[in-house]
Amino acid sequence: MSTETLSPEHQATIEEVGNLFAESGFGTPEVFAVAPGRVNVIGEHIDYNGGLVLPAAIDRWVHVAIRRRDDALVRLVSAQAPGKVEEFLASDDLAPQGNNWSNYIKGVVTGLKKAGFEVPGFEAAVISTVPVGGGLSSSAALEAVFGKAILTLLGEEMDGLDLAKLCQKAEHDFAGVPCGLMDQAAVILCEEGKLLMLDCVDDSFQHAPFEDPDWGLLIINSCVSHELSDGGYAVRRDGCHAAAKILGVETLREIDPAKLDEALAHPDLTEDMKRYVRHAVTEIARTLETVEALGQRDYALAGELLNASHASLRDDYRVSCPELDFIAELAQAQEGVAGCRMTGGGFGGSAIALVRRDCVASLTALIESRYEAEFGIEPKIFETRPMGGTRAWKA
């Protein structure tokens, strides 16, 4: 691959990351790599419940320039942390340190070493346009881009799903977030113009087309940060797993929606567990219906399903917040909006709207004005289409 095959925006940022690399005293890059963020169209908090999820890679990226060193030292610079160089030894038994972005790279290096790759020292520069804390998988993109970059530096390859699992383990062990596989799979496996339907029982996947000149996806970042390692995510995940055990199933995917009321009547379920089960079972059903609706270009039905997903996340799973509820309710009431819901882990982050493209400008202006007036925060809003996944090439 060469820069000639990249979009003008990519080419410009690749030049920027190359300049950052040189200005940091690293010399000339050997490899460039890019990884997208992702948005989950629907299927929230069901990846760890054996569900089907429907993410898309988005037009926001982590760009990396990297070069091998002759020793074991790793040196990292980021445009998002100007003037600071992160250092560690690739030959060490690495451990996370505080809330540091280099932990993600340490996790990937550790995973590659355990997979049998001889990871050398290296120097790398990073520029990211994926919003941090926006629920758009900035961490998964960072993990994936370094995994792909290091493999390319070594002249090695790894199956995309295997790399996704390696990056998922890095998130578990080095960031303390017990996430499902969806984020890493999406940023690595997605194809341009298609959504990724991932089965979280057996990790099988297929690509579902979503290319319509009249309709797009609008991402509305509330700019309210969330921390998934603070316990809220883990509490819900553990509650779902405990409920599944009580109900005698491996995952909540096995609960027939037609028998949901019967399952919820089990005397050993706590009230919290009942809410978690109700969300998981109905969200899995909504995801399947959404794939079918989008395939038939029935955007009215797809929008209704997105709206129902938000209500379930707000009322049953309780991972929304006033800012996201405000955005969803405002967007849902506008002409040209099929539906809108919070997306990502919750507790802040972003919303996604299925919008007719001729309404994007007016909807963006309305949300910006009303949201800032209500909360004193300027939201970050952009339209996207499904993008391709992580890739790397020799410079």
Side-chain angles (χ1 to χ4, degrees):
M1 185 174 187
S2 67
T3 55
E4 283 76 18
T5 64
L6 297 173
S7 69
E9 294 81 5
H10 269 316
Q11 290 185 30
T13 311
I14 287 297
E15 288 183 19
E16 287 181 35
V17 78
N19 290 338
L20 176 61
F21 192 90
E23 291 164 3
S24 302
F26 295 166
T28 303
E30 288 183 59
V31 167
F32 290 108
V34 295
R38 76 95 187 96
V39 66
N40 194 23
V41 176
I42 197 167
E44 215 67 73
H45 282 281
I46 58 172
D47 51 346
Y48 50 80
N49 284 308
L52 289 159
V53 293
L54 194 66
I58 62 172
D59 194 15
R60 293 295 184 272
W61 304 84
V62 178
H63 297 75
V64 163
I66 189 171
R67 186 182 75 166
R68 181 199 303 253
R69 288 178 59 94
D70 294 331
D71 55 22
L73 182 63
V74 174
R75 302 185 75 222
L76 308 170
V77 296
S78 169
Q80 282 61 58
K84 187 175 181 182
V85 179
E86 300 289 339
E87 294 186 350
F88 60 87
L89 292 173
S91 58
D92 284 354
D93 290 331
L94 299 173
Q97 292 184 331
N99 187 22
N100 196 314
W101 69 275
S102 65
N103 287 337
Y104 299 104
I105 293 90
K106 289 180 179 179
V108 171
V109 167
T110 298
L112 289 171
K113 286 164 61 179
K114 288 182 177 179
F117 296 102
E118 295 186 11
V119 182
F122 58 86
E123 293 161 329
V126 181
I127 293 179
S128 177
T129 60
V130 183
V132 176
L136 301 175
S137 294
S138 58
S139 60
L142 187 62
E143 294 152 3
V145 78
F146 268 92
K148 192 72 170 178
I150 294 169
L151 287 167
T152 304
L153 196 66
L154 296 172
E156 301 281 1
E157 294 186 359
M158 178 180 281
D159 175 78
L161 192 59
D162 289 340
L163 181 58
K165 291 178 179 178
L166 185 153
C167 293
Q168 177 197 25
K169 184 167 176 55
E171 186 106 5
H172 288 183
D173 296 345
F174 283 76
V177 179
C179 61
L181 186 61
M182 174 181 64
D183 293 2
Q184 289 79 10
V187 303
I188 292 171
L189 298 172
C190 274
E191 295 182 357
E192 188 166 352
K194 298 176 183 178
L195 308 178
L196 182 76
M197 188 168 71
L198 175 69
D199 188 323
C200 299
V201 168
D202 59 11
D203 299 330
S204 62
F205 62 91
Q206 58 183 287
H207 298 282
F210 177 59
E211 285 187 289
D212 189 317
D214 298 324
W215 287 84
L217 301 172
L218 195 68
I219 310 300
I220 307 116
N221 185 353
S222 70
C223 295
V224 177
S225 294
H226 64 287
E227 291 291 342
L228 295 186
S229 58
D230 67 357
Y233 184 105
V235 164
R236 285 156 178 79
R237 176 176 173 143
D238 292 348
C240 287
H241 290 173
K245 187 174 182 179
I246 289 169
L247 295 171
V249 294
E250 286 292 320
T251 70
L252 296 179
R253 167 92 169 268
E254 297 174 43
I255 303 296
D256 185 342
K259 297 182 179 180
L260 176 58
D261 288 343
E262 179 182 333
L264 294 177
H266 196 292
D268 292 338
L269 292 179
T270 67
E271 289 303 313
D272 283 344
M273 287 180 187
K274 290 178 182 179
R275 289 189 290 99
Y276 300 160
V277 170
R278 183 163 49 238
H279 167 73
V281 173
T282 58
E283 184 79 348
I284 291 168
R286 282 189 290 269
T287 303
L288 287 167
E289 291 182 65
T290 301
V291 171
E292 184 175 349
L294 289 175
Q296 297 175 351
R297 298 195 175 191
D298 187 344
Y299 299 119
L301 175 57
E304 290 176 6
L305 293 163
L306 263 62
N307 293 345
S309 173
H310 183 81
S312 182
L313 290 159
R314 179 192 64 210
D315 300 335
D316 278 336
Y317 226 64
R318 299 184 183 177
V319 292
S320 188
C321 62
E323 294 87 352
L324 287 172
D325 292 341
F326 181 89
I327 290 168
E329 184 176 351
L330 179 61
Q332 289 168 8
Q334 304 311 310
E335 174 69 23
V337 178
C340 181
R341 70 176 195 90
M342 63 150 281
T343 184
F347 313 105
S350 297
I352 180 173
L354 179 59
V355 184
R356 211 171 60 226
R357 285 197 164 121
D358 61 357
C359 297
V360 165
S362 59
L363 178 63
T364 298
L366 176 68
I367 294 175
E368 286 176 342
S369 174
R370 294 278 298 275
Y371 184 80
E372 188 166 6
E374 182 74 16
F375 297 103
I377 301 170
E378 181 181 354
K380 305 298 182 185
I381 305 174
F382 63 94
E383 184 185 2
T384 191
R385 58 188 179 86
M387 307 302 292
T390 306
R391 53 197 187 274
W393 62 99
K394 293 291 181 70

